[in-house]
């Protein structure tokens, strides 16, 4: 989400940070191989269309240590208008943007470097039952317009869905094969995450607002890690 948004912003010079409508990412390798198994990754974001209303960005992930092999691919659809005529003007006209930066372009807010899963998300995630949790949203989790950042949706779905996948697949290390997220409404305030198993490997994970309104709808597919067979050496005995 961060890299595809940056691609839109760079291509538009500037372009609106926008609101995500849809995000998807799938592994390109055989089941049982996670992205974490790669020591290094190159991520390439390509703006397919930068429109006034809707933009589309493609994301390809390669392993530079394996002949630049494609290991994952995805895309994102973003709604570009901000809903504010002054902001829309600034994001569509370079001279307006440069002028606004002279008066309002202060230093960006910088947060202390933290572990993403354990501290940025995990410290505010409270599991209520298997596949169900609540999340306390802080300024660290929102985008400039005050709504829950799109990448947070994905990580919340992964972490809550993972707890259910462990039971379904009977493994402590389930692998997320693919994720498809539809952003339904604006997420403000604290949220609740609920995962529902559809099959052994597929599940639906939804995020709801405090009022019970659906914010995003995710479809996740999991697999168990591949266990490599151990070669047994034949022992020979001399008589």
């Amino acid at each position: 989400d961060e890299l595809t948004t940056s691609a839109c912003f760079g291509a538009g010079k500037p372009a609106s940070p926008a609101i995500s409508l849809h995000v998807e990412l799938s592994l390109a390798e055989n089941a049982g191989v996670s992205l974490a198994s790669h020591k290094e990754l190159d991520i390439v974001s390509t703006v397919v269309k930068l429109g006034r209303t809707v933009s589309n960005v493609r994301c390809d992930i390669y392993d530079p240590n394996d002949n630049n092999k494609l290991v994952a691919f995805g895309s994102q659809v973003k709604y570009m208008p901000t809903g504010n005529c002054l902001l829309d003007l600034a994001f569509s006209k370079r001279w307006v943007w440069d002028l606004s930066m002279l008066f309002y372009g202060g230093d960006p807010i910088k947060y202390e470097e933290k572990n993403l899963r354990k501290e940025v998300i995990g410290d505010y995630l409270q599991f209520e039952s298997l596949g169900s949790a609540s999340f306390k949203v802080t300024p660290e989790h929102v985008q400039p317009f005050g709504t829950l950042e799109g990448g947070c949706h994905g990580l919340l779905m992964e972490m809550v869905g993972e707890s259910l996948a462990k039971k379904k697949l009977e493994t402590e290390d389930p692998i997320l094969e693919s994720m498809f997220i539809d952003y339904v409404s604006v997420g403000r305030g604290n949220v609740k995450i609920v995962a529902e198993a559809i099959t052994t490997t597929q599940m639906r994970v939804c995020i709801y607002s405090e009022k019970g309104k659906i914010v995003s709808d995710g479809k996740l597919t999991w697999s168990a890690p591949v266990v490599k067979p151990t070669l047994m050496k034949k022992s020979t005995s001399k008589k």
Side-chain angles (χ1 to χ4, degrees):
D1 180 70
E2 293 290 340
L3 293 175
T4 50
T5 298
S6 296
C8 276
F9 195 88
K13 297 181 181 180
S16 167
I19 297 175
S20 297
L21 296 178
H22 177 81
V23 169
E24 60 181 73
L25 183 68
S26 300
L27 295 183
E29 295 186 331
N30 295 331
V33 181
S34 69
L35 286 179
S37 64
H38 302 274
K39 295 182 179 180
E40 184 179 3
L41 294 170
D42 284 342
I43 304 174
V44 180
S45 297
T46 305
V47 179
V48 179
K49 176 186 177 181
L50 186 65
R52 291 181 177 274
T53 304
V54 175
S55 293
N56 182 282
V57 187
R58 187 179 73 237
C59 180
D60 298 308
I61 303 176
Y62 302 89
D63 185 347
N65 299 315
D66 189 11
N67 297 317
N68 285 324
K69 181 180 180 181
L70 180 70
V71 295
F73 60 97
S75 62
Q76 182 177 29
V77 179
K78 300 186 75 70
Y79 180 71
M80 304 306 289
T82 65
N84 182 297
C85 60
L86 294 178
L87 285 175
D88 288 338
L89 180 63
F91 285 129
S92 60
K93 302 295 183 181
R94 180 72 197 194
W95 68 270
V96 179
W97 173 263
D98 291 337
L99 185 62
S100 64
M101 287 299 98
L102 289 176
F103 293 96
Y104 305 106
D107 294 331
I109 299 175
K110 296 181 179 179
Y111 293 99
E112 179 186 351
E113 188 70 24
K114 300 177 182 178
N115 181 284
L116 184 59
R117 287 177 63 97
K118 293 181 179 180
E119 298 177 288
V120 177
I121 299 296
D123 285 351
Y124 303 93
L125 184 64
Q126 182 67 46
F127 279 87
E128 300 171 349
S129 61
L130 184 65
S132 177
S134 59
F135 183 70
K136 181 181 178 181
V137 179
T138 74
E140 195 172 12
H141 305 118
V142 300
Q143 49 130 287
F145 301 124
T147 62
L148 184 62
E149 202 271 339
C152 285
H153 287 253
L155 194 50
L156 286 170
M157 289 182 178
E158 179 182 353
M159 293 177 69
V160 176
E162 184 180 54
S163 66
L164 186 58
K166 288 180 178 180
K167 180 180 180 180
K168 289 293 181 179
L169 294 171
E170 298 180 345
T171 177
E172 285 299 313
D173 300 299
I175 294 174
L176 181 59
E177 292 281 339
S178 65
M179 173 184 287
F180 297 81
I181 305 176
D182 290 311
Y183 296 87
V184 182
S185 61
V186 176
R188 297 183 187 277
N190 299 333
V191 296
K192 182 175 182 178
I193 309 95
V194 179
E196 174 190 5
I198 305 301
T199 66
T200 303
T201 60
Q202 295 176 310
M203 67 177 62
R204 166 168 273 129
V205 186
C206 294
I207 296 180
Y208 298 90
S209 68
E210 292 178 302
K211 296 182 179 180
K213 184 178 180 181
I214 187 168
V215 177
S216 56
D217 183 355
K219 277 74 71 177
L220 282 63
T221 301
W222 300 84
S223 69
V226 172
V227 179
K228 296 182 180 180
T230 303
L231 297 177
M232 300 295 292
K233 292 183 178 180
K234 292 183 180 180
S235 60
T236 57
S237 59
K238 295 182 181 180
K239 293 184 179 180

